[in-house]
């Protein structure tokens, strides 16, 4: 396996960075919970939104590693804007592209690729079923040409601007599948938002005899849950890549700060405690980066073991990087609306979102027991 970047990959990263320096630098790292709508339009105009989605829906038909390169380039300047490349290329966008009927894929993906302020949200977790997704109680009863969906979903991000919801349900045969519920579907109610630690609104949605046409079925059958989670694995990896660009930005800032901030008559970088902290930050960034690269470098989607390893290692180590950046900046990073404060709270949330490290360690163990160590091929 060769992880050397190709000339094309270098060009994508360079072009993305140059665009970010021209268009996004002035407001870099100030968006946080606000949607950077203007930046989304610029990314769309230059073909960076929906890069991995099919061309017939306005996407670029490119690979995940291509999107990763673009995200790194943008993230070196404006990490908040770089996160748009995660939300427009992975997760529910891939699920809709792969499993939805063409009419719905076109309806919901074209606006995303065009940079419009819209989204397709995931409705998976429930008040009593977080990491243990298979404990869900939301049901879809068979009513001829439609499903009648009843239940409640919790902690749904971006529900307020979502055109549709990839909704996980328990089907009459007992299997867990999913249906695509339109945001205006009768019987669907979006609750008032609750704000998490980094001020992102998250919602409960309520489904009360919500009638969903069977043409909106995404996956059903005995292997339905596995099929969809396999597609979702790449979202975990790209989510960690989004966190990586944030952590890298903070590392660069802390590195410069330590060489100019003086205490005791010398730059704090001259103190071994600080220089060792910066060293550990660089090591954590590099090991996380190469695990992300490996997971996204093949032609196939990453399997359970590799995606879960990436989620665990990168999630924990990148959080350590941000914690160290905060420690180096001290009060200058702790007081006020600082990048360190925002990033610390955001990355802490990613140790919960998408499954906790504890759950993913369980998943890795199961994969190891079944398939052994994931060798490089």
């Amino acid at each position: 396996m060769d992880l050397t970047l190709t000339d094309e990959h270098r060009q994508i990263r360079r072009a993305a960075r140059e665009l970010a320096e021209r268009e996004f630098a002035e407001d870099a790292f100030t968006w946080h919970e606000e949607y950077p709508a203007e930046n989304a339009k610029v990314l769309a105009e230059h073909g960076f939104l929906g890069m991995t989605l099919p061309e017939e829906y306005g996407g670029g038909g490119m690979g995940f590693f291509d999107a990763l390169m673009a995200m790194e380039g943008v993230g070196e300047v404006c990490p908040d804007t770089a996160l748009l490349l995660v939300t427009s290329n992975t997760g529910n966008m891939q699920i809709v592209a792969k499993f939805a009927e063409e009419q719905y894929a076109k309806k919901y993906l074209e606006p995303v690729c065009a940079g419009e302020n819209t989204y397709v949200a995931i409705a998976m977790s429930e008040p009593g079923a977080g990491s243990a997704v298979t404990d869900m109680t939301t049901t879809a009863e068979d009513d001829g040409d439609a499903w009648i969906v009843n239940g409640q979903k919790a902690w749904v991000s971006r529900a307020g601007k979502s055109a549709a919801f990839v909704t996980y349900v328990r089907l009459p045969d007992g299997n867990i599948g999913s249906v695509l519920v339109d945001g205006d579907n009768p019987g669907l109610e979006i609750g008032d938002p609750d704000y998490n630690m980094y001020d992102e609104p998250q919602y409960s949605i309520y489904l009360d005899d919500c009638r969903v046409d069977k043409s909106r079925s995404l996956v059903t059958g005995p292997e339905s849950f596995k099929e969809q989670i396999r597609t979702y694995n790449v979202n975990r990896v790209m989510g960690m890549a989004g966190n990586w660009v944030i952590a890298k930005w903070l590392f660069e800032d802390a590195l410069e700060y330590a060489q100019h901030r003086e205490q005791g008559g010398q730059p704090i970088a001259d103190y071994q405690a600080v220089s060792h902290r910066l060293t550990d930050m660089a090591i954590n960034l590099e090991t996380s980066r190469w695990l992300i690269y490996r997971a996204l470098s093949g032609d196939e989607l990453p399997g359970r073991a590799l995606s879960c390893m990436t989620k665990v290692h990168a999630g924990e180590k990148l959080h350590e990087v941000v914690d160290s950046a905060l420690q180096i900046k001290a009060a200058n990073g702790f007081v006020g609306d600082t990048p360190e404060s925002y990033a610390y709270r955001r990355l802490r949330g990613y140790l919960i979102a998408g499954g906790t490290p504890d759950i993913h360690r369980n998943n890795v163990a199961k994969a190891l027991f079944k398939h052994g160590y994931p060798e490089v091929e």
Side-chain angles (χ1 to χ4, degrees), residues 147 169-179 217-228:
W147 300 109
V169 295
R170 191 171 297 281
L171 299 164
D173 60 8
N175 293 305
I176 293 176
S178 61
V179 296
S217 299
L218 293 172
V219 289
T220 60
E223 298 296 314
S224 57
F225 185 69
K226 290 182 180 179
E227 286 181 40
Q228 191 154 294

Side-chain angles (χ1 to χ4, degrees), residues 53 86-88 90-97 100 104-113 116-123 156-167 179-183 216 218 232 235:
L53 297 178
V86 179
T87 57
S88 71
T90 63
N92 302 318
M93 307 308 153
Q94 290 295 327
I95 289 172
V96 172
Y104 301 121
K106 184 179 179 68
K107 175 181 178 179
Y108 297 117
L109 297 183
E110 282 190 349
V112 171
C113 294
E116 298 180 15
N117 189 5
T118 186
Y119 187 67
V120 178
I122 187 167
V156 180
S157 298
R158 294 179 287 275
K161 62 181 182 186
S162 293
F165 298 85
V166 173
T167 307
V179 296
L180 188 59
V181 184
D182 193 87
R216 289 177 168 270
L218 293 172
Y232 200 73
N235 186 67

Side-chain angles (χ1 to χ4, degrees), residues 54-113:
E55 294 179 86
E56 57 264 35
Y57 305 135
M62 302 172 75
F64 291 110
F65 204 89
D66 299 317
L68 175 63
M69 291 296 98
M71 186 167 60
E72 282 193 12
V74 174
E76 289 174 358
V77 178
C78 183
D80 287 316
T81 300
L83 296 178
L84 296 177
L85 278 85
V86 179
T87 57
S88 71
N89 280 294
T90 63
N92 302 318
M93 307 308 153
Q94 290 295 327
I95 289 172
V96 172
K98 183 174 181 179
F99 298 113
E101 288 193 5
E102 183 177 356
Q103 60 176 317
Y104 301 121
K106 184 179 179 68
K107 175 181 178 179
Y108 297 117
L109 297 183
E110 282 190 349
V112 171
C113 294

Side-chain angles (χ1 to χ4, degrees), residues 195-318:
Y195 286 82
N196 62 27
M197 287 181 67
Y198 70 96
D199 292 330
E200 179 197 38
Q202 293 186 292
Y203 301 77
S204 289
I205 66 171
Y206 305 90
L207 302 120
D208 184 12
D209 288 338
C210 186
R211 186 178 181 85
V212 181
D213 194 276
K214 282 189 177 176
S215 64
R216 289 177 168 270
S217 299
L218 293 172
V219 289
T220 60
E223 298 296 314
S224 57
F225 185 69
K226 290 182 180 179
E227 286 181 40
Q228 191 154 294
I229 290 298
R230 191 178 299 118
T231 303
Y232 200 73
N233 279 341
V234 72
N235 186 67
R236 296 189 173 107
V237 178
M238 285 292 282
M240 288 300 102
N243 288 335
W244 187 89
V245 301
I246 293 176
K248 173 69 158 37
W249 194 96
L250 292 181
F251 167 76
E252 297 285 2
D253 185 64
L255 183 64
E256 181 179 2
Y257 179 88
Q259 294 174 85
H260 292 91
R261 170 67 167 173
E262 292 192 358
Q263 291 284 275
Q266 63 186 32
I268 62 173
D270 290 348
Y271 292 101
Q272 190 178 66
V274 175
S275 64
H276 282 188
R277 189 178 290 272
L278 287 164
T279 298
D280 289 341
M281 292 167 72
I283 292 171
N284 286 339
L285 281 167
E286 192 66 3
T287 56
S288 297
R289 180 187 213 170
W290 287 102
L291 195 53
I292 291 167
Y293 274 25
R294 184 186 170 189
L296 296 179
S297 63
D299 295 330
E300 301 294 329
L301 295 178
R304 180 166 68 169
L306 195 52
S307 63
C308 290
M309 285 180 180
T310 304
K311 177 71 164 62
V312 171
H313 181 84
E316 294 178 345
K317 295 306 179 183
L318 295 177

